[in-house]
Amino acid sequence: MGLLALGTPLVWNESREYNDFIREKGVQYILNVFKNAGERDHDELYWGDEIEYMLIEFNEWSKQAKLDIVHDNLLTVLNTDTATDLNGVSDENINYYRLCLDNDVNFHPEYGRFMLEATPLNPYLNLNGNYNYVEYNMKVRRELAEDIISNYNENSKSIKYKPLTITSFPRLGTNNFINVDEKLVWNHKNNASRSLFLPDEVINRHIRFPTLTSNIRERRGEKVAMNIPMYKDMNTPDHDDTIYQRDWFPREDAEAAGASKKDHIYMDSMGFGMGCSCLQTTYQAPNINAARYLYDSLVNFAPIFLALSSAAPFFKGWLADQDVRWNVISGGTDDRTPRERDTESVLPQYNIGGLGNIAKDKYNKVQSLPKARYSHVDLFLGGNKFFKRTFNDTNVPLNEDLLKVLLENDIAPMDYDMAKHFSHLYVRDPLVIFEENINDKTDGSLQNHFENIQSTNWQTLRFKPPTLDATPDNKSVPGWRVEFRPLEVQLTDFENAAYSIFIYLLVESILKFSDSLNPYLSMSKIWQNMDTAHKRDPISSQKFHWKTTFNNALNPEGKTEELVIDEIFHNKENGIFQIYINPILIDKKIIEKDWKELKHSSKYLRLYYYLKLISDRASKKLPSVANYLRSFILSHPEYHQDSRISEIINFDLLEMCDRITHFDNSRNEMDSYFGKELTEYLLNNDVSY
Ligand code: ADP
Ligand code: MG
Ligand code: MG
Ligand code: MG
Ligand code: MG
Ligand code: MG
């Protein structure tokens, strides 16, 4: 999430006047960063993860599980962002602050009022031999959140609050999905999103979030519309029958009929996507060129890991015919006008010419934008000996005016490939501008303006430049970082640690062997892989483009073959374990040849099980989270072969998730989720470091 500035946000029709101003200031800022930090070198491989939770209210008596939108003040208690010292913290909260600081954890707000994000307070460094710390830290985060939210349990025996790491909430946007009186909520009407399904009360109270929601809708000229294929069972209806008539907003309330599609789940607001949880990890590279190479190397892995972490088989009370959240968030933040999407307006009488609410004097600048601002990576960054411009073979629009500035300026001229990256980000408009920022008279020293565009380009990877003060000598602030963003969040800290550490080992390997590994293939194939990752059960049912070999001498042109995920991980010639994981573990002298040797090491036994989890999921010995959740629903006694997730199924499912999260194998669920061997290990080995 970007900076949570305080201030007065402008509504779309006011803010759009400042779009060029913000972009120009943002570009000045990034040029200053390149000038100040471009020569920075030898930064250490600091890294960290971000985990997002949903707060769930379980009612044992009524057998309901709802999203908790009442206790979001929990964050003011937990948020350590401002608490480097304890001055000004109330007595009541001081213990939690201290606990966060002492336990090296940090909590942040997220889009959903029912959401919580947590990171390590200090980034990890040199975990060599101490990989368990990641899971340990995750566990402490969860326990702190559980501890504080359980304070609210006291008045009732039947009600319990829990933070769960589920990617999508099964009944988001249906009846009885939040823990407040629905009549009261809907009486306010929901002016920000105008959704038929999500009241604005699901949105974080910080003014940035409702403004982001309404400005996306305003710019687009209509509500966002996500149509996700519905899982087809015997009694599944051929339309999403939760759509209903309403007459609060003459335009938006009339959109559903035209915007929804047969055989699809229809969703109409940002919260359906930004209300999903995920797992992200960020890695610092030694210098800018290494960061570019790392970014380019990870591009390839994003769709594969989206599939391998798939954990979202349902949306809005329906089973979906896909397993991941990605295109829902993409659609939920899609501010493009119909013209930019090369399509017709849903209601042409209102959204005239498909131009949304673009300022009239900007009509001549409107260009077609093939991809939403939340989408997979657009461009390789290049800057190394393996890169060829022809690998960037997709249609990626640029802000041509700013491209020129980035290339030719007195501050720090960029090379073409780097400039292209930023000039693509800058085809987007700012979505939320604060009144306090429109009088900036500096020559590009305010980070806000840059972050405004940067942090609302949500791609599978984010290239995170440092701040202005990150001069080569100032190591007290971060340097050039790359964020890996496709992962869906898993039910347990064990799994989240396993995925995070797997990517960390990949990153180490990529940086270590950067001289010999050629990561490139055509970007168009990555885009296809991303579509493939959206098919149901992508691990079992799909083939992905994968390089025949990463050896540059043998494959400089990026030749690929089509492989299933099992092969992508386990092939001898081009599999991830063989090419990336074994070599880095050998280099660290942790193994001699093969990662499976770790099974016989007491020091690295947990690392063995992290790798084994990934390996077993890739080879289908273990189910993905999405597989497991889908099977639970399909075999529930109250399931009527109609793809619907009733309140009781929702309740039982989330209780099951809670049991797995806490390694409660009283119903043998862990045995099928983790397999017998891993279950036994987990039940007998608490994480310690
Ligand atoms: P965002 O939401 O913008 O991605 P967060 O602050 O939520 O940012 O998360 C940033 C992540 O980066 C955290 O996991 C944190 O531990 C990690 N991190 C912090 N400093 C560094 C650094 N110097 N290098 C790499 N990662 C870092
Ligand atoms: Mg987040
Ligand atoms: Mg974050
Ligand atoms: Mg974030
Ligand atoms: Mg942040
Ligand atoms: Mg992040």
Side-chain angles (χ1 to χ4, degrees), residues 581-598:
I581 300 298
N582 286 338
I584 192 69
L585 294 176
I586 293 168
D587 186 77
K588 289 164 172 289
K589 304 195 169 37
I590 295 179
I591 60 169
E592 276 173 26
K593 271 204 188 108
D594 190 86
W595 65 273
K596 293 201 189 82
E597 296 161 28
L598 295 173

Side-chain angles (χ1 to χ4, degrees), residues 1-3 50 108 117:
M1 190 171 62
L3 303 175
E50 300 164 66
H108 324 236
E117 181 180 294

Side-chain angles (χ1 to χ4, degrees), residues 1 50 280 464 483 485:
M1 190 171 62
E50 300 164 66
Q280 296 170 341
K464 290 180 168 176
E483 182 180 23
R485 303 166 49 83

Side-chain angles (χ1 to χ4, degrees), residues 462-478:
R462 182 173 284 156
F463 184 66
K464 290 180 168 176
T467 43
L468 273 190
D469 49 351
T471 52
D473 298 331
N474 182 9
K475 298 281 178 175
S476 69
V477 292

Side-chain angles (χ1 to χ4, degrees), residues 160-173:
K160 291 215 159 44
Y161 298 97
K162 299 263 176 107
L164 289 186
T165 39
I166 47 174
T167 294
S168 70
F169 183 78
R171 285 179 55 81
L172 183 71

